[in-house]
Amino acid sequence: MDRRLRLAVRELASLRSEKTIILAIVIQLFIAAFSSFLVVGLVSLSDPGSTAGSYDITIGISGEASEELQRIVETGDAMEPVVFDDRGAAMTAFADRRVDAVIHTKASDDGRIHADAVAPDGDFRTTLIVTQLKSALSEIEREKRAALTHRLERTPLTVPEQSDSSPYFGFTYTVLIPVLVFLPAFISGSIASDSIAEELERGTFELLRVAPLSVPDIIDGKSLTMVAIAPAQAGTWLFLLALDGTKIVHPGAILALVTGLTGLLVVLGAALALTIEKRREAQLSFSLLSLGLFGATFLLPENLSNLVAKLAIGSPTVVSAVTLVGTIVVAGTGYWFVRNRLSARIGP
Amino acid sequence: MKAKRTLRIARWETARSFGSVDRKTAVILLAIVLLLAALAPALVAVNPTPGADLYRVGVSDSHPYHDVVSQDRRLQAVDPRTSSLEEGTIDVLVTQSRVVVTETEKSQAAAGVLRESIVAYNDRLMARETDQAAAFPVTVTLSYAEQTNLVDYTGDTGQQSADGETDDSGSELGTTTDTAALQTTKTSPSGDQQTPTPTDGATDSSRTSSQESISGTETAGDSKETDTPGATTVSGGYSGRNTDDGPLSGLFGSGQAGTPSGITPPFPLESLLLAFAFLLPFNFVIQAYGSSVIAERINRRGEPLLVAPVSRGDIIIGKALPYFVGSLGITAGIAFVLGGSVRSIVAIAPIAALFIAATFVAGMLSRSYKELTFSTVTISVVLTGYAFLPAVFAEVHPIAAISPLTIVVNDLQGASVGVGTFVLGTLPATLSAGVLLALGAGLYREEDLFTRRPLPAKALDALAAPLRSRFRVGLWTALFIPFVLVAELMAVAALFVLPVSLSIPLLLAVLAIVEEVAKSLHIYAGYRRGRFKTDRSNAIVLGISSGVGFFLAEKILGITQLVGLPNLDIGRAAFGPDILGLSTIGLLFAPLLLHSVTAAISALGARESRNRYFIGLIFAALIHLAYNLVVVSSLG
């Protein structure tokens, strides 16, 4: 068996015996559960369509533009109008919880309508109610604007029909998937640094050195496990999301990116541990440096988080392909460079 | 424990932390910090959008929507002649007369974004009109009011509004009406159309841009692209004016005034940013602290300190103190930048303490650096999740109130914080931090410090260490109450999205399990470590001690009532019956009896073996669940 492989197996065994990898999975499960709960919660709170009519809201209407508003609210999705003679009556109904919100309108001489809207405070339906109020008022704005085009120099564009989209559809792709695929890469880098720092501090690194292993061999062996477990975790997440009905269009490309990135982070972690030789300082440098490097990728024409989102949702561009290949090449070269450079400094 | 010794250890810890950094490390750290410092302004300038070019829209160059698509960063304009919906190379097709979508979620989402984008484009277009009354024919003042009968609502506000006194009606309703709302309603009726004059426009753009940097994706990049005169008022000169007393104001549901498209529903996700701002630095602090704790344990380095004439408490507090003070300093800095007051710092302090206390336990339990890294990441994620609660429930104030961050949000908004809210927000975290420190202290002894035993075994050590008498069993059950409270509130938070018919039974089951575990886990640990006599009557006494401790501590839980948590259906299921049932003697003693009986059952199992403990625990949880169901259905 290859000596490097043997070291890699040893690393894996130590992870397994400590069962810490289970903690890592728990962490990610927590994040995933929390985020998907966040998405489900937000959608049901703010998207009238997704609640399947369970949260129809009643809007109390009073004032001069009541007729138009009543017609618009009637045709709107998941809302019902109730017309009142004056605002006081509407507000009494609001206080009695007979209506969920109140719009009082008043016309002014210039053709403008002033709407005074009241929504309940501190209720979990508030977001939904305000969204509905906004949609009704936007509709009346469009109608009034169309009626006043003779006073305008520019013509507003026609607004297409509302689609049944969830406003948080993108959240899964732009936030959740990038977090879930990048987090294992950072953890891997961090434990690679730990693994070497601990061998140095406990004095067992010398034992490794007297074994027939060169420094690049040690780095390779230690890195192999860490690099392997990151795409394995990321892949599991993509698989689970796919089971859950989230379509991932280019999982292979995402995993290739994660592998490359992990390789770079792991070798950086190892290099910092070998240079600094103390866990605390090495960890601190590693977290700051990896944060900085990741931040720096946001200066690219296409940042990595966005790249993952595009690959997952299936909208990659030519720039995406270039960024993907470029990142993997840079990460691979970086790994090779740091690995050889270190052996030159520390000795074979 | 002596303050003088504690301080000496704290000074020593600080000196050692900074003193031991060699020149090479210092240079590396300095270089990284400089890199980060250089990066921040560059990132602000580039302003990356996470959702850039996510959706592809097939639209020809000549179509009026082409401008819209090319100005929205989230949309890619694709030539419709070279792509088709069927092949999936575009998500939405814009033809001369209509917008074509497919059945897929992505296509629907793309159409939704396109629609939103067109509305925003129209608003920008209309902002350049001279006749603003025709361009924005509807103005809105949105305010929030409690739905209670206590409000004596009389008077015709329609009339008042015309006089420009909407603020009066606002305060009558018990809401905050901001100055912007006042401005709007005052000037509009008099015929002054608020046309964005150059000066007006300039102030507006600065206002709106501070809003956009938070609300994110859509218009952020547009200000550069539409540099026509007057277009500086990006989101429509007149829309979305919130009070401008802090970068996050107006996001948590204060009143708004403007055009319909300027209304932003209270959108809780923004307070995630706030949580990150406050909690991110703690991750670095606990990394350093965790390293310091575990470094003592490697190669018996901590031994001299252990034999020194100082108490365990001195060492533990002394070593943690510099990190705690550092955390507070960072928090103060962030609070200052965000415009918070001392209240914010006081509210965040328990979270900082909790981070450090949890890391202390993790440092005591971990066998290696690797394990510590995993543990600290878990701590960060779980505690950040706990702090996120107000982000998810910004509108459900009662639940949000258990996170100290709610106090910070209120503080940044300039709203007042009631004593009840303050106590509920800070007490569980403070108590949890204290209990964790005490548990970790149980491990601060030679046989645990310098050995590498599995985590569960050490956890049992920690739980068993303080159980010196049967009375202490009850005491520790009581001390676990903050964790029970936090776990139960997390469960309420996670389950409240489900329909009530499903969420309440599920919640009751979770509560039964959490409470039974809290009452019996340390008893089990005590038996495994041979702390108690194993006869049956002793097990029953231990169970009763634990049950009484739980019962008494749960009564203290009455503080949740101060902020109206039981008003919420699901909150009532979790915390209501026991509290509301105080009216009769029977209902007062029923929970006491329940807690004692179930704890005794678990204790009887725990005295024998692990498997018997599990069986006893399940049995106890089932009885507890049955009791809960009866109480909830009878009290309605």
Side-chain angles (χ1 to χ4, degrees):
Chain A
M1 198 155 76
D2 187 316
R3 288 189 295 255
R4 285 176 288 190
L5 209 55
R6 203 172 298 227
L7 188 59
V9 170
R10 196 191 74 150
E11 282 295 299
L12 194 62
S14 103
L15 280 182
R16 212 182 48 211
S17 74
E18 286 179 353
K19 299 197 179 61
T20 35
I21 196 78
I22 296 173
L23 264 184
I25 308 286
V26 168
I27 297 162
Q28 291 163 42
L29 197 69
F30 189 88
I31 294 179
F34 203 80
S35 328
S36 39
F37 154 66
L38 206 69
V39 174
V40 171
L42 290 178
V43 168
S44 61
L45 288 181
S46 59
D47 181 20
S50 73
T51 54
S54 56
Y55 290 132
D56 275 13
I57 71 157
T58 317
I59 302 178
I61 295 167
S62 64
E64 292 166 39
S66 293
E67 252 173 65
E68 293 142 287
L69 204 54
Q70 185 188 7
R71 181 172 42 74
I72 285 166
V73 172
E74 262 166 12
T75 49
D77 213 15
M79 44 184 171
E80 285 298 323
V82 180
V83 180
F84 293 92
D85 291 337
D86 59 62
R87 194 173 178 213
M91 284 310 295
T92 310
F94 175 77
D96 292 345
R97 292 177 181 262
R98 279 179 285 136
V99 295
D100 299 307
V102 171
I103 303 177
H104 178 76
T105 47
K106 188 174 184 314
S108 62
D109 300 338
D110 52 22
R112 224 170 200 177
I113 292 176
H114 300 288
D116 220 322
V118 180
D121 191 17
D123 192 306
F124 76 92
R125 297 168 311 149
T126 303
T127 307
L128 177 68
I129 291 169
V130 174
T131 311
Q132 293 286 70
L133 288 179
K134 179 179 175 173
S135 111
L137 290 166
S138 299
E139 195 52 46
I140 196 169
E141 179 186 53
R142 257 190 298 286
E143 274 187 18
K144 292 296 283 183
R145 197 184 268 166
L148 294 171
T149 33
H150 58 276
R151 282 164 61 182
L152 296 172
E153 293 154 32
R154 304 166 184 84
T155 326
L157 301 177
T158 17
V159 176
E161 290 287 299
Q162 191 106 44
S163 68
D164 331 312
S165 64
S166 136
Y168 301 104
F169 173 73
F171 180 82
T172 309
Y173 291 98
T174 53
V175 179
L176 183 57
I177 294 181
V179 167
L180 286 179
V181 302
F182 287 133
L183 191 68
F186 286 102
I187 294 182
S188 276
S190 191
I191 54 178
S193 163
D194 277 344
S195 177
I196 291 181
E198 180 153 15
E199 301 254 16
L200 285 169
E201 286 193 36
R202 284 194 190 276
T204 46
F205 196 76
E206 289 307 309
L207 291 178
L208 274 182
R209 293 289 307 281
V210 294
L213 282 165
S214 64
V215 170
D217 282 345
I218 296 175
I219 295 173
D220 283 346
K222 289 221 168 249
S223 304
L224 196 60
T225 309
M226 308 307 167
V227 176
I229 59 173
Q233 294 168 67
T236 313
W237 284 116
L238 296 183
F239 178 71
L240 287 178
L241 281 170
L243 277 188
D244 193 41
T246 305
K247 213 171 147 201
I248 314 282
V249 182
H250 299 293
I254 296 177
L255 293 185
L257 179 72
V258 172
T259 314
L261 201 65
T262 314
L264 188 62
L265 288 172
V266 162
V267 82
L268 279 181
L272 286 171
L274 280 172
T275 323
I276 295 173
E277 296 180 15
K278 260 181 269 152
R279 194 253 182 184
R280 185 174 55 180
E281 286 77 12
Q283 273 296 333
L284 193 61
S285 321
F286 175 76
S287 20
L288 290 172
L289 183 64
S290 54
L291 195 72
L293 284 181
F294 194 68
T297 65
F298 280 90
L299 301 176
L300 293 174
E302 189 169 307
N303 64 64
L304 296 186
S305 163
N306 187 225
L307 173 61
V308 167
K310 276 188 207 164
L311 288 172
I313 207 170
S315 307
T317 53
V318 181
V319 187
S320 312
V322 174
T323 314
L324 176 67
V325 174
T327 310
I328 295 173
V329 169
V330 169
T333 331
Y335 180 88
W336 200 250
F337 176 77
V338 176
R339 167 192 186 275
N340 294 336
R341 179 75 214 233
L342 273 179
S343 76
R345 282 190 49 186
I346 296 175
Chain B
M1 202 156 86
K2 289 222 175 85
K4 206 172 145 194
R5 287 175 188 161
T6 312
L7 283 177
R8 189 187 303 153
I9 292 173
R11 261 202 312 274
W12 170 75
E13 173 75 23
T14 318
R16 208 187 48 144
S17 301
F18 291 105
S20 70
V21 177
D22 55 36
R23 193 178 293 168
K24 188 168 59 183
T25 312
V27 169
I28 293 175
L29 273 172
L30 188 68
I32 294 170
V33 168
L34 285 178
L35 169 81
L36 284 174
L39 197 61
L43 280 178
V44 170
V46 171
N47 187 18
T49 315
D53 295 335
L54 216 52
Y55 306 110
R56 295 159 303 180
V57 181
V59 57
S60 62
D61 290 352
S62 55
H63 197 280
Y65 284 178
H66 191 272
D67 265 0
V68 179
V69 174
S70 57
Q71 282 175 25
D72 193 317
R73 283 221 221 164
R74 291 170 297 175
L75 303 172
Q76 287 179 40
V78 178
D79 191 339
R81 283 165 301 183
T82 60
S83 50
S84 77
L85 276 177
E86 288 76 28
E87 289 165 24
T89 44
I90 50 173
D91 307 307
V92 177
L93 178 66
V94 179
T95 64
Q96 267 328 309
S97 55
R98 63 197 202 97
V99 172
V100 189
V101 293
T102 66
E103 285 298 298
T104 61
E105 265 190 288
K106 186 188 178 191
S107 180
Q108 298 282 341
V113 172
L114 177 64
R115 185 178 194 275
E116 209 178 283
S117 190
I118 292 167
V119 171
Y121 180 87
N122 277 343
D123 281 345
R124 293 198 297 274
L125 200 69
M126 288 298 109
R128 282 142 67 184
E129 287 288 329
T130 43
D131 187 349
Q132 283 290 301
F136 293 104
V138 176
T139 60
V140 186
T141 311
L142 174 66
S143 51
Y144 295 95
E146 298 277 351
Q147 274 183 308
T148 50
N149 290 318
L150 299 173
V151 180
D152 176 28
Y153 190 84
T154 47
D156 185 84
T157 10
Q159 193 55 47
Q160 288 180 350
S161 160
D163 303 339
E165 288 179 7
T166 352
D167 53 335
D168 281 348
S169 71
S171 53
E172 261 180 51
L173 294 165
T175 58
T176 52
T177 310
D178 49 54
T179 46
L182 185 60
Q183 250 177 22
T184 310
T185 26
K186 254 188 185 165
T187 42
S188 299
S190 64
D192 172 7
Q193 300 314 334
Q194 298 230 343
T195 314
T197 54
T199 45
D200 197 355
T203 47
D204 274 350
S205 72
S206 70
R207 275 183 193 171
T208 41
S209 68
S210 76
Q211 240 173 298
E212 278 160 16
S213 63
I214 294 149
S215 62
T217 51
E218 53 173 307
T219 36
D222 294 336
S223 54
K224 288 179 217 151
E225 286 155 39
T226 50
D227 53 355
T228 6
T232 37
T233 51
V234 180
S235 49
Y238 191 58
S239 63
R241 281 187 184 175
N242 296 321
T243 40
D244 201 28
D245 51 1
L248 288 154
S249 66
L251 294 167
F252 303 102
S254 59
Q256 297 175 4
T259 63
S261 42
I263 292 179
T264 41
F267 185 61
L269 218 58
E270 269 81 27
S271 59
L272 291 183
L273 281 181
L274 194 65
F276 268 126
F278 276 106
L279 300 186
L280 193 69
F282 292 165
N283 291 308
F284 298 109
V285 173
I286 63 169
Q287 224 172 36
Y289 174 62
S291 297
S292 166
V293 171
I294 201 171
E296 297 274 295
R297 303 182 41 218
I298 284 182
N299 296 351
R300 303 183 77 91
R301 284 181 204 155
E303 203 157 29
L305 198 56
L306 212 55
V307 296
V310 285
S311 72
R312 266 196 302 196
D314 291 336
I315 302 174
I316 294 167
I317 302 288
K319 274 182 77 80
L321 202 60
Y323 299 95
F324 182 65
V325 171
S327 302
L328 286 191
I330 295 168
T331 303
I334 296 166
F336 177 75
V337 170
L338 291 176
S341 71
V342 181
R343 243 184 335 195
S344 294
I345 305 167
V346 176
I348 290 287
I351 283 263
L354 191 54
F355 261 92
I356 286 172
T359 308
F360 174 61
V361 174
M364 294 308 296
L365 291 177
S366 300
R367 274 161 295 174
S368 67
Y369 286 158
K370 274 181 287 186
E371 199 165 61
L372 181 64
T373 295
F374 284 118
S375 310
T376 40
V377 176
T378 313
I379 291 167
S380 305
V381 167
V382 172
L383 289 184
T384 311
Y386 167 70
F388 274 179
L389 283 173
V392 191
F393 302 105
E395 304 93 283
V396 194
H397 294 306
I399 283 185
I402 69 143
S403 168
L405 218 55
T406 302
I407 300 166
V408 178
V409 169
N410 283 330
D411 183 42
L412 290 179
Q413 274 182 326
S416 64
V417 179
V419 177
T421 313
F422 201 90
V423 170
L424 186 71
T426 50
L427 196 66
T430 313
L431 288 176
S432 304
V435 172
L436 283 174
L437 276 179
L439 276 179
L443 289 173
Y444 210 90
R445 50 184 189 173
E446 202 188 348
E447 58 264 50
D448 281 307
L449 272 176
F450 307 126
T451 49
R452 302 174 83 184
R453 291 168 52 217
L455 220 138
K458 279 205 172 170
L460 287 187
D461 278 358
L463 285 171
L467 302 178
R468 281 195 291 272
S469 66
R470 291 191 285 208
F471 164 74
R472 290 235 173 179
V473 170
L475 178 70
W476 275 89
T477 308
L479 287 175
F480 289 147
I481 286 285
F483 297 99
V484 172
L485 177 60
V486 169
E488 292 184 348
L489 283 165
M490 295 276 264
V492 170
L495 292 172
F496 108 112
V497 204
L498 299 173
V500 173
S501 59
L502 190 63
S503 65
I504 290 193
L506 260 177
L507 181 73
L508 292 179
V510 173
L511 299 190
I513 295 169
V514 168
E515 294 182 3
E516 289 312 318
V517 168
K519 284 188 296 185
S520 62
L521 193 64
H522 54 307
I523 298 185
Y524 171 70
Y527 273 118
R528 290 285 78 74
R529 292 290 171 267
R531 292 247 158 199
F532 309 125
K533 280 185 284 183
T534 53
D535 58 307
R536 198 171 294 170
S537 56
N538 191 38
I540 293 172
V541 172
L542 289 175
I544 291 171
S545 169
S546 179
V548 171
F550 192 91
F551 172 79
L552 291 178
E554 201 182 40
K555 287 291 158 252
I556 301 170
L557 222 152
I559 51 164
T560 52
Q561 261 188 320
L562 296 177
V563 287
L565 197 60
N567 290 338
L568 213 71
D569 266 356
I570 191 164
R572 194 178 296 134
F575 307 104
D578 288 343
I579 297 161
L580 300 173
L582 284 170
S583 51
T584 63
I585 300 291
L587 276 172
L588 174 64
F589 285 104
L592 177 60
L593 190 68
L594 169 87
H595 287 310
S596 307
V597 168
T598 52
I601 292 172
S602 319
L604 282 172
R607 97 197 154 94
E608 295 185 32
S609 68
R610 189 167 75 166
N611 288 346
R612 287 285 170 90
Y613 169 59
F614 279 128
I615 294 168
L617 187 64
I618 290 165
F619 196 55
L622 284 175
I623 295 176
H624 197 140
L625 174 62
Y627 169 86
N628 279 353
L629 284 171
V630 168
V631 171
V632 168
S633 57
S634 67
L635 288 179

